[in-house]
Amino acid sequence: MNPIDLILEKRIGTRPVLLLSLAAAFLFFVSIAVPTAQALEAGAAKVEITPPVGTPLNGYGDRMGRPSTAVHDPLWARTVFLDDGSTRFFLISLDLVAVNPELRERVLELYSGAVPKENVLMVATHTHNGHGGMCRNLLLRSVSGRFIPEVLEATAEKIVESMKKAYSNRTRAALGYGLGNSEGLSVNRRFANGPAETQFGVIRIEDADGKPIALITNFTGHPTSMGGEDKYSFSADYPGYYYLEIESLAGEECVALFLNGAQGNQTISGPSVKSDMSRTEGVGREIAQKAHALSKDLAFSDVIFKLSHKKALLPLTLADNLQPESADLYSLEINDLLISFFPGEPCVEIGLNLRERALDRGYEAHWSVGLANDYLMYFVPRSLYPYPEYESFMNFFGPGMEDWLYREFESLMSRKMLVESIDSLDDEVVEDMIPHEPQESQSVFTVRGSAHEMGLARGNFFQDSIQKKYKERIFDPVDTGKWYAPGSWWKGAPSFMNLTPVALTSLGMGSRSLLLGLSEDYIREMEGLAEGAGLPFDGLWLMQHARLYTLVKDQAELFSLPLCTMVALTGDYTGTGDLLLGRTLDWVDEEEDLILRTLPESGIPSLQVGFDWTAGVLTGLNQERLFLSLEYVPYGEDVMPPEAPVEFLLGELLRRCSSYSEAVERLTSADYIRNYHVLVAGYDGEKSSAAVVEYGDKITVRHAEEGILLGVLPETEGIPEETRTRYQFLYEKLKETPVTDREELGVLLTPPLPDEGGNMNRLWNDYSRHCVVLHLSEAELSCAMREANGEAGTFITQPVREEVHHD
C-alpha cells in the first residue's frame, strides 16, 4: 500500500467527518485563491537565423564538425509574446538541435524590455541540420564544430529581434487549445512495438477579428530525416514543411511554432509516405493539416497563465565537465493545460508517466516539451538504463534521474494532491512513512524499509569509507593514467586536456549493460547506496566490477585471489540429517568487513557477508534458508559479460528465490558467466540439497560424493596450484576426522597462522577476511572476522531476521 492510500485508509476509517471537512475547506481555499482573468494580449514574429554557408552543423558526431555546404530550407526563430494581465512571457521556438547555454546566456544579456528575463522560454525543434559553432566546450565541438563567436552573436541578436517584434506586434487576443491523435506518425526508434506518443497538442492564438496570430503545435519525433546529399545542408527538417503547410492553410501572417515532445526514443513514420524527402515533407505537412483542422474547432475562453520556475540541484554525475550542477526547470499552466519544459531529451516513457501524474492532480491536459532552455542530453526511464542504446549512454545522471524529474516537475504543479495540502496528519501515520535509522553493532549492520531507503542508510553510514575507496580504486588510477592502454589516444592527448572526467564517463557508460537482468528494486537499492555515499550512480557501479573493463589493464592484482574455499557436508557425512556449510573469503585489500542484515518491504530478508561498499553478494543466506557463495576459478581469459556479473545474480537470487531447485535453474541458465564456481544450498519443501555450479567451457552441476562437496575438486585441470593444495588438504582432513557441527567446521577452516604467515596454500591465510559456517536447517550463520593480528576472531552467530527496536 502506498503512503497516500495508507493515509486515506486511516483517515476514512477513523475520522471520516474530519476528512470531508478538511477536503471541503481545502477546495474552498483553492476556489477563492484562483486569480481573475484579464484581457489577453499576444504578439508573434519570426526572424530567419540561417547563418552563412560554411558554418558547421550540429547534431551528428559523424560529421565531425565539418562545414555546411548548402541551404535546403531556412532556419527560424519563431516567437510568441503572451500577457494575461499578471504574467507575461516569451515562448521562442528555434530551428536548432539544442539551446546551448552560451546562446541562452547571450540572448538574455542582449535583451532588455518589459518581460522579465526569467520569463523567457527558449525551445529547440531539435533539427539535426541546424547550425553549430556556438559551443565553447572542447569536447562538444566534435559534434557542434569549431566555436565561431560571430555566429553566436548573430544568432542571439536575431532571436532578440524576434522577441522585440513579437512584443511590438502585441494586440488583444484570444487563445484556445486542444488535443488530437497522431497515432502512426511517431514510432519507437529502438524497440519494435515499443511505446510511442499518440497525442499531439495545438494552441491557437487569434486577434479580436478572429485572424490567427500564431499556431503552436506540440508533436513528438526526432527531426533526423535529412540524409544523402542533404546531410550537410541547413534545414528545419520536417518542421520546415509543417511551417509551409500552416502558412498555406492559415495564411502567411500566422506564425507557426513547433514544440517537440518527449522524443528521446521517438522518430517519425508516415503511414502513407515511403522514405527520404517524401517522408520528411509528408510527415511535416500531415502534422500541419491535423493541427489546422483541430484549431478550427477549439473553444476560446478567458485565459489565466501560471509560469513556474525553479533552479534544481542535479544528481551527481561523472560527467561533471559536461554538465552543470543545477538546471532551470519551467512549467506553464494555461487554465487546465499543463506544459512541462525539459532541459534535454526525455524518452517517451517519462513523458507519458508525467502526463498520468498531472492528470491525477486534476489537469485536463499535459504536454511535455523537450530541448528547453538548456541541453543536458537524454533522460531515460530506469527500465531502459541498462540497455546498450544511444539514449541510455547519453543519460549522465544515473537511473534515478527518472524519479528526480517526476519529483521536481511535480513540485512546480500548482494543483496538489489532497493529502499534500493537509498538515494535521496523525503522528502515527507520519511515523509509518519515515524510514527508521539502521542499527549497527559488532560489524552487523541492519537496514529495513524500501530498497532505496536501505541503500541510502548504508551509504550514509559508510560514506567516508566508500568515498575513500572510490578515490583510491577508481578515480586515482584513471587520473594518473594507470588504466590507459599503452599507445592509445588517451596516452597521446595534449597535457592541457583533463581527460579524467571523460574517461570516467566512458567507463560509466560502458558499465550500464551489466545492469541487465537486475530487478528494479536492486537498482533502486544501489541508487540509494550511491546517494548516501555521495557518489554518482555510475561511480558506485564502477566500484563493483572495475576488473571487467577493457581499458583497465592493471587491475589483475585486485581480483587475483580465488575468493578461497567453499564446502558442503551432507547428512550422510555428518550423521545429523542436516547440511553443514562453510566458506572462507580472501581479499588482497584492507576492507571494512560487514555483515549486512536486510529486512526489505519487498523481497526476502537475508544476511550478506562482505564489505561496506559491495552491492553484490559474495556470501549470503536468506530467510528461506537459501545459501549462496562464489569462488573465482580462472579457467580462461576474463571477458566482459553481457549482463549482470555473477555476484549480482546471487544478489537477485537471495532477494527473490525461496527454493533450491529454482536457484539452480536460474544459475544454470546464466550461460554468459565464466570462470566461477557457485555453491548453492537450499530446500525444496522438507528436502535439503546442495550443489556446486561450475562455469567453465560449459556449465556443469556437481553434487556431493560420500557426503562431501568441495567448491573445487583437487583434480580439476587448469586451476592454480595453491587452490589444488588447499582443497586437497581440506579433503584429507575431512576424511581423517569427521566433522559433525559448525563449531568443528569453523575450527577446521580457521587454523592459526604460522609465525612466518600463511600463503594461499592454507585455508586461513594472510589474505583471509572472514569465515562463515552454518547448519542449513537454521536461518542463521556464524561468522568469524579477521583480527588485527591476522588471525580469525571469535565466531558470532547472527539470525537472518532480528527484531529491531526503536525508541
Side-chain angles (χ1 to χ4, degrees):
M1 179 177 294
N2 65 48
I4 291 175
D5 290 339
L6 178 65
I7 293 169
L8 289 178
E9 179 179 309
K10 291 196 174 185
R11 286 291 185 176
I12 292 173
T14 56
R15 284 185 283 176
V17 176
L18 174 59
L19 178 61
L20 293 175
S21 299
L22 287 168
F26 171 71
L27 294 174
F28 173 74
F29 172 78
V30 169
S31 68
I32 63 173
V34 173
T36 303
Q38 300 184 38
L40 176 68
E41 281 194 338
K46 63 177 184 177
V47 172
E48 186 178 348
I49 60 172
T50 313
V53 171
T55 303
L57 297 109
N58 194 1
Y60 293 125
D62 62 355
R63 285 192 296 225
M64 297 298 291
R66 290 196 289 270
S68 56
T69 58
V71 177
H72 181 277
D73 56 277
L75 309 175
W76 298 93
R78 295 166 177 267
T79 301
V80 167
F81 164 78
L82 289 164
D83 182 0
D84 67 355
S86 59
T87 301
R88 52 175 51 181
F89 62 94
F90 286 117
L91 176 60
I92 308 164
S93 176
L94 302 167
D95 290 325
L96 297 171
V97 75
V99 179
N100 56 291
E102 296 93 333
L103 179 60
R104 178 172 174 80
E105 180 182 341
R106 187 57 183 147
V107 168
L108 296 184
E109 288 174 350
L110 291 174
Y111 173 73
S112 61
V115 175
K117 293 187 177 184
E118 63 270 19
N119 285 13
V120 176
L121 298 173
M122 299 174 62
V123 176
T125 63
H126 200 50
T127 174
H128 284 49
N129 282 65
H131 61 279
M134 297 186 288
C135 293
R136 290 188 175 91
N137 190 297
L138 285 172
L139 295 172
L140 298 178
R141 292 188 196 179
S142 62
V143 177
S144 67
R146 70 189 190 282
F147 177 63
I148 308 173
E150 297 81 6
V151 172
L152 174 63
E153 188 70 15
T155 305
E157 288 174 351
K158 290 174 181 178
I159 293 171
V160 172
E161 180 185 347
S162 75
M163 297 161 66
K164 292 181 176 179
K165 283 185 175 181
Y167 182 75
S168 66
N169 290 340
R170 70 192 186 280
T171 184
R172 289 287 295 272
L175 183 151
Y177 56 84
L179 303 177
N181 190 311
S182 59
E183 187 171 4
L185 291 178
S186 296
V187 296
N188 195 297
R189 66 176 184 165
R190 296 301 172 204
F191 300 100
N193 301 317
E197 179 61 89
T198 59
Q199 171 187 289
F200 75 95
V202 170
I203 296 173
R204 178 184 171 100
I205 304 167
E206 59 184 37
D207 63 18
D209 297 324
K211 294 180 179 180
I213 295 172
L215 192 71
I216 305 170
T217 299
N218 173 227
F219 174 82
T220 303
H222 257 79
T224 52
S225 62
M226 302 291 293
E229 62 184 17
D230 293 313
K231 187 168 184 177
Y232 288 89
S233 298
F234 289 124
S235 173
D237 206 279
Y238 73 85
Y241 288 101
Y242 157 82
Y243 304 145
L244 293 175
E245 188 71 10
I246 289 295
E247 289 171 359
S248 70
L249 295 170
E252 291 188 4
E253 69 279 3
C254 177
V255 177
L257 276 73
F258 182 85
L259 308 181
N260 217 325
Q263 48 71 60
N265 54 359
Q266 303 289 284
T267 191
I268 58 170
S269 175
S272 61
V273 182
K274 301 300 182 183
S275 61
D276 301 327
M277 285 306 301
S278 59
R279 177 169 70 107
T280 304
E281 180 174 358
V283 171
R285 291 191 184 277
E286 187 170 348
I287 295 166
Q289 292 160 9
K290 286 178 173 289
H292 183 255
L294 178 61
S295 73
K296 293 191 293 186
D297 296 328
L298 298 180
F300 292 81
S301 62
D302 291 338
V303 173
I304 298 171
F305 298 130
K306 179 174 176 55
L307 182 63
S308 300
H309 164 246
K310 71 183 300 185
K311 186 174 285 292
L313 187 67
L314 286 161
L316 296 175
T317 175
L318 292 177
D320 53 8
N321 64 326
L322 295 175
Q323 303 292 1
E325 293 183 353
S326 61
D328 287 298
L329 302 181
Y330 282 85
S331 71
L332 173 63
E333 297 179 25
I334 307 175
N335 295 353
D336 291 322
L337 168 65
L338 172 66
I339 306 176
S340 301
F341 293 88
F342 290 81
E345 301 184 61
C347 286
V348 71
E349 294 88 345
I350 292 176
L352 295 175
N353 287 335
L354 187 59
R355 178 184 304 161
E356 183 177 345
R357 291 166 182 249
L359 298 183
D360 285 344
R361 291 172 179 263
Y363 295 98
E364 290 186 0
H366 175 263
W367 297 2
S368 291
V369 176
L371 297 311
N373 304 303
D374 201 348
Y375 186 58
L376 307 183
M377 306 295 182
Y378 282 77
F379 307 131
V380 302
R382 180 180 285 102
S383 60
L384 296 185
Y385 194 79
Y387 286 90
E389 302 289 352
Y390 178 74
E391 292 84 4
S392 64
F393 283 161
M394 292 295 106
N395 176 17
F396 295 116
F397 298 101
M401 187 61 175
E402 177 183 9
D403 290 338
W404 183 91
L405 289 166
Y406 298 148
R407 182 173 64 251
E408 296 300 337
F409 276 114
E410 285 187 289
S411 73
L412 293 175
M413 298 179 187
S414 66
R415 300 186 182 187
K416 307 298 182 184
M417 302 296 285
L418 178 60
V419 293
E420 292 182 72
S421 305
I422 300 175
D423 294 327
S424 56
L425 297 176
D426 290 336
D427 290 341
E428 66 270 18
V429 177
V430 176
E431 180 68 17
D432 285 342
M433 297 170 64
I434 299 175
H436 294 294
E437 289 297 316
Q439 185 181 69
E440 191 276 337
S441 64
Q442 297 182 344
S443 300
V444 181
F445 195 73
T446 300
V447 291
R448 61 182 299 178
S450 70
H452 183 270
E453 289 165 350
M454 292 193 300
L456 183 65
R458 183 178 172 190
N460 278 329
F461 192 86
F462 295 105
Q463 182 183 90
D464 291 344
S465 174
I466 294 174
Q467 285 191 356
K468 181 175 181 289
K469 292 182 177 69
Y470 171 77
K471 182 178 184 305
E472 293 173 349
R473 300 175 187 180
I474 304 295
F475 183 86
D476 286 349
V478 173
D479 194 45
T480 59
K482 180 181 178 182
W483 283 6
Y484 299 155
S488 70
W489 73 270
W490 299 90
K491 289 282 191 181
S495 58
F496 65 84
M497 292 185 66
N498 178 15
L499 293 182
T500 299
V502 183
L504 288 171
T505 302
S506 298
L507 287 169
M509 289 162 57
S511 75
R512 293 173 191 172
S513 63
L514 300 178
L515 293 165
L516 286 168
L518 298 187
S519 65
E520 181 176 316
D521 272 355
Y522 207 160
I523 293 174
R524 284 182 180 273
E525 184 177 331
M526 287 189 286
E527 289 172 29
L529 182 59
E531 181 182 341
L535 291 177
F537 177 88
D538 287 344
L540 177 85
W541 189 228
L542 279 174
M543 290 182 67
Q544 308 301 318
H545 47 72
R547 64 193 174 88
L548 299 174
Y549 280 87
T550 55
L551 283 179
V552 181
K553 300 299 182 183
D554 299 317
Q555 281 290 291
E557 70 273 14
L558 292 184
F559 291 86
S560 59
L561 301 180
L563 303 181
C564 220
T565 312
M566 308 185 299
V567 62
L569 304 174
T570 71
D572 293 338
Y573 174 87
T574 63
T576 63
D578 194 4
L579 268 172
L580 182 59
L581 302 159
R583 81 100 84 244
T584 60
L585 184 135
D586 292 356
W587 200 264
V588 68
D589 292 313
E590 290 299 319
E591 303 284 0
E592 294 291 333
D593 298 290
L594 175 69
I595 300 175
L596 178 68
R597 176 184 289 113
T598 65
L599 306 175
E601 285 181 357
S602 173
I604 303 173
S606 68
L607 282 175
Q608 303 166 34
V609 187
F611 310 126
D612 54 6
W613 58 273
T614 48
V617 168
L618 306 174
T619 308
L621 173 72
N622 73 16
Q623 182 69 30
E624 302 298 327
R625 292 171 296 173
L626 176 70
F627 175 80
L628 296 161
S629 64
L630 60 84
E631 179 167 359
Y632 178 65
V633 183
Y635 291 108
E637 183 180 355
D638 282 318
V639 296
M640 188 83 155
E643 51 188 279
V646 62
E647 59 267 36
F648 291 90
L649 173 59
L650 300 194
E652 283 288 6
L653 294 178
L654 210 62
R655 287 161 170 77
R656 301 295 174 189
C657 193
S658 58
S659 74
Y660 165 80
S661 58
E662 179 187 357
V664 171
E665 182 180 358
R666 288 280 302 276
L667 287 166
T668 54
S669 65
D671 56 4
Y672 62 90
I673 296 173
R674 293 289 183 274
N675 298 337
Y676 279 96
H677 287 193
V678 173
L679 173 60
V680 53
Y683 279 84
D684 287 314
E686 298 298 319
K687 180 184 177 184
S688 64
S689 303
V692 171
V693 179
E694 300 180 346
Y695 297 97
D697 293 334
K698 60 181 181 178
I699 299 176
T700 59
V701 179
R702 182 165 48 81
H703 297 92
E705 296 182 4
E706 299 180 343
I708 301 175
L709 177 63
L710 300 178
V712 180
L713 293 176
E715 61 267 26
T716 302
E717 294 183 5
I719 61 174
E721 196 57 37
E722 60 265 26
T723 300
R724 191 185 317 278
T725 301
R726 188 173 63 252
Y727 273 107
Q728 185 65 46
F729 173 82
L730 175 60
Y731 181 73
E732 291 173 358
K733 282 291 185 182
L734 289 171
K735 296 293 288 183
E736 175 185 317
T737 306
V739 172
T740 59
D741 58 39
R742 65 188 181 195
E743 288 77 14
E744 293 174 349
L745 182 58
V747 171
L748 174 61
L749 293 176
T750 59
L753 289 172
D755 292 339
E756 66 276 12
N759 58 29
M760 292 294 296
N761 293 325
R762 298 180 58 85
L763 297 175
W764 186 267
N765 55 70
D766 289 336
Y767 301 112
S768 298
R769 304 299 308 186
H770 61 250
C771 178
V772 171
V773 292
L774 66 148
H775 292 286
L776 192 63
S777 62
E778 301 168 349
E780 62 184 26
L781 57 77
S782 295
C783 182
M785 299 288 190
R786 179 187 184 89
E787 294 190 331
N789 61 3
E791 301 286 356
T794 302
F795 281 90
I796 299 176
T797 301
Q798 296 290 340
V800 171
R801 180 179 286 280
E802 179 178 83
E803 292 301 321
V804 182
H805 301 286
H806 304 277
D807 294 333

